Amino acid sequence: MIGLDLMKLRPKADGSTDDLAARAGWMYYLAGMTQGQIAEELDLSRQRVQRLVARAVADGLIHVRLDHPIAACLNMERSLKKKYDLQFVRVAPTLPDRSDSFRSVAAVGAGEIERVLLQEPELTMAVGTGRTLRAVANEMTDLVCPGHSLVSLIGNSNFDGSASFYEVLQRFAEKIGARYYPMPLPVIAKSREERDFYRSLPHVERVRERAKNCDVTLVGIGELGPNAPLVVDGFLSPGAMADLVASGGVGEIAGWAFDSTGSYLKGGINDCTNGVRVEPSDKPTIGIAVGEAKYPGLLAAIKGKLINCLVTDEACAEFLLRD
């Protein structure tokens, strides 16, 4: 993971060199593009790209992540924050072929989580699950935050007892040296009666209460459809997913499905989900999402105030600003 130190950038009159240096450094060190490819994408000579990349190295601009506020991303952040009344927005650069935008969003997301965690000596963060959050955890630097605690919003196993593939709570806890509280039960129960039994267990009740009373919430936005992780990972059958979509579902957070207004659906998966439902709140609820399949669910989550902080990429930001 790479970054640029804003304090070490030598500003120019029009700011263009700063932005070009930031983009060239991002493309070269994160995307692994050649200088020739960068020159073609930015419509620059190869010699100028060489100078930009060399400058990034010589001036010590490269470090853990991109701190330089690329102008286009910064403008999108301000516009999205105003349009949707969000507490904060971070927009990562979309790479030319979008091949690694997932990683760029994870890097920016990691920086934001670290910032939030370092603001207070003690806080409780409720954490969802999924591929995006796992990538964020992998991009984080090691911190020492013994006063913090992490708690899961969602169960950590499948019907057969096998572990959920994208469970990330322990990974986050290892990164910051904090105590963590997993949700020791299946993601989805087989019936409402089974769900009620699980929730009645004293240790589950304690974990759920801790999650409900957290200081910060961190979630990914799950897509719905035949290729959704809930189907691919075996939590829902294709038929059950088709019914969910037919009833108006566009996305899910921690296993709870919602419609295009951000309202949770009645019945179906929501009758059997064991985890804690994320509700609108004044406390920071950070949603991290990237990829076109997530657009409908992300827009709905924002409209329904299920999240009030956002980390995404330029392509998704453009979609949200067009709506």
Side-chain angles (χ1 to χ4, degrees):
M1 185 172 55
I2 61 93
L4 301 175
D5 191 337
L6 179 60
M7 298 304 295
K8 294 183 179 180
L9 288 170
R10 296 191 298 271
K12 305 300 180 183
D14 62 358
S16 61
T17 300
D18 284 353
D19 284 355
L20 288 173
R23 285 195 182 274
W26 187 265
M27 292 176 182
Y28 188 79
Y29 288 99
L30 177 64
M33 296 172 65
T34 67
Q35 292 180 359
Q37 290 171 326
I38 297 171
E40 181 177 356
E41 178 62 29
L42 298 181
D43 196 22
L44 300 173
S45 68
R46 180 177 292 199
Q47 289 75 20
R48 189 172 184 194
V49 169
Q50 289 174 342
R51 289 195 297 270
L52 287 169
V53 174
R55 175 186 165 215
V57 176
D59 288 1
L61 306 180
I62 304 302
H63 59 98
V64 177
R65 62 179 48 82
L66 182 69
D67 289 333
H68 176 77
I70 291 176
C73 296
L74 185 57
N75 288 335
M76 289 179 175
E77 291 172 3
R78 290 172 175 167
S79 297
L80 286 169
K81 182 179 178 181
K82 181 178 180 180
K83 179 175 182 177
Y84 293 108
D85 190 28
L86 298 169
Q87 292 185 16
F88 72 74
V89 180
R90 297 295 178 265
V91 176
T94 295
L95 299 173
D97 60 359
R98 302 190 182 183
S99 61
D100 211 1
S101 292
F102 179 80
R103 185 182 171 195
S104 68
V105 168
V108 172
E112 278 308 303
I113 300 308
E114 291 173 16
R115 180 186 64 81
V116 169
L117 292 174
L118 292 173
Q119 285 180 336
E120 301 289 342
E122 296 183 6
L123 60 77
T124 297
M125 185 169 74
V127 181
T129 188
R131 178 174 174 243
T132 303
L133 295 192
R134 186 173 71 172
V136 170
N138 289 339
E139 294 286 355
M140 287 180 63
T141 55
D142 292 337
L143 304 176
V144 180
C145 303
H148 293 345
S149 60
L150 304 177
V151 58
S152 182
L153 287 166
I154 189 170
N156 60 4
S157 66
N158 209 327
F159 297 115
D160 60 3
S162 59
S164 177
F165 186 66
Y166 291 117
E167 169 65 21
V168 298
L169 188 72
Q170 183 176 352
R171 182 60 174 153
F172 274 107
E174 290 170 349
K175 283 285 187 175
I176 69 172
R179 179 172 297 194
Y180 66 99
Y181 300 83
M183 190 81 70
L185 67 172
V187 173
I188 302 172
K190 292 183 177 180
S191 66
R192 281 180 290 183
E193 291 74 21
E194 185 177 272
R195 178 206 65 186
D196 292 343
F197 168 74
Y198 283 134
R199 292 185 182 182
S200 71
L201 298 174
H203 67 290
V204 174
E205 285 184 332
R206 288 193 291 270
V207 172
R208 287 175 55 82
E209 282 304 307
R210 187 178 293 270
K212 290 177 181 178
N213 294 300
C214 67
D215 302 300
V216 181
T217 300
L218 173 64
V219 296
I221 308 297
E223 64 189 83
L224 297 185
N227 298 317
L230 285 173
V231 174
V232 174
D233 296 338
F235 295 110
L236 279 184
S237 68
M241 175 58 74
D243 291 341
L244 199 59
V245 173
S247 63
V250 299
E252 56 91 7
I253 292 177
W256 291 88
F258 50 85
D259 64 18
S260 60
T261 69
S263 300
Y264 288 108
L265 300 176
K266 295 181 179 179
I269 184 178
N270 289 353
D271 277 349
C272 299
T273 298
N274 278 317
V276 172
R277 192 163 77 177
V278 174
E279 302 285 1
S281 172
D282 292 332
K283 296 179 180 179
T285 302
I286 306 167
I288 303 182
V290 61
E292 192 171 349
K294 304 290 184 72
Y295 291 1
L298 179 57
L299 177 60
I302 293 172
K303 286 183 174 180
K305 305 296 183 182
L306 302 181
I307 62 173
N308 53 33
C309 306
L310 173 64
V311 179
T312 190
D313 70 343
E314 287 178 281
C316 184
E318 289 171 357
F319 165 81
L320 293 172
L321 289 170
R322 287 195 305 267
D323 178 74

